[in-house]
Amino acid sequence: MLHVLSGLTMIVAVLAWRGGAALWPAVLALVVFALTFVQAYLGSNGPIAVHVPGAMVLTVGAVVVAAWSFTGGSAHARR
């Protein structure tokens, strides 16, 4: 489910960018989407010492993109 939701978030952020919003949320959403696959691999095959900080990075990235979308960031003109 995480891959699906982060992928949809990335698509919406890219569409918002194409509609005139800033580029950085689309890039961050792409990074979060890509890191979900790394995180899934590390959760099954990697050390927990890497998996837990990775979860924190994903959480922060997702919260930043969500905060941007809820503060009307998608309506702002490109800078």
Side-chain angles (χ1 to χ4, degrees):
M1 205 61 202
L2 180 62
H3 303 306
V4 171
L5 292 177
S6 64
L8 289 173
T9 301
M10 178 193 63
I11 291 168
V12 170
V14 168
L15 291 174
W17 167 65
R18 291 191 54 143
L23 176 61
W24 69 264
V27 172
L28 181 57
L30 172 65
V31 169
V32 167
F33 178 62
L35 285 177
T36 62
F37 291 96
V38 174
Q39 185 69 352
Y41 174 81
L42 290 174
S44 298
N45 303 312
I48 197 75
V50 177
H51 182 71
V52 172
M56 295 295 101
V57 169
L58 283 176
T59 301
V60 169
V63 167
V64 168
V65 173
W68 165 80
S69 68
F70 286 116
T71 60
S74 59
H76 295 182
R78 235 180 253 179
R79 298 186 204 283

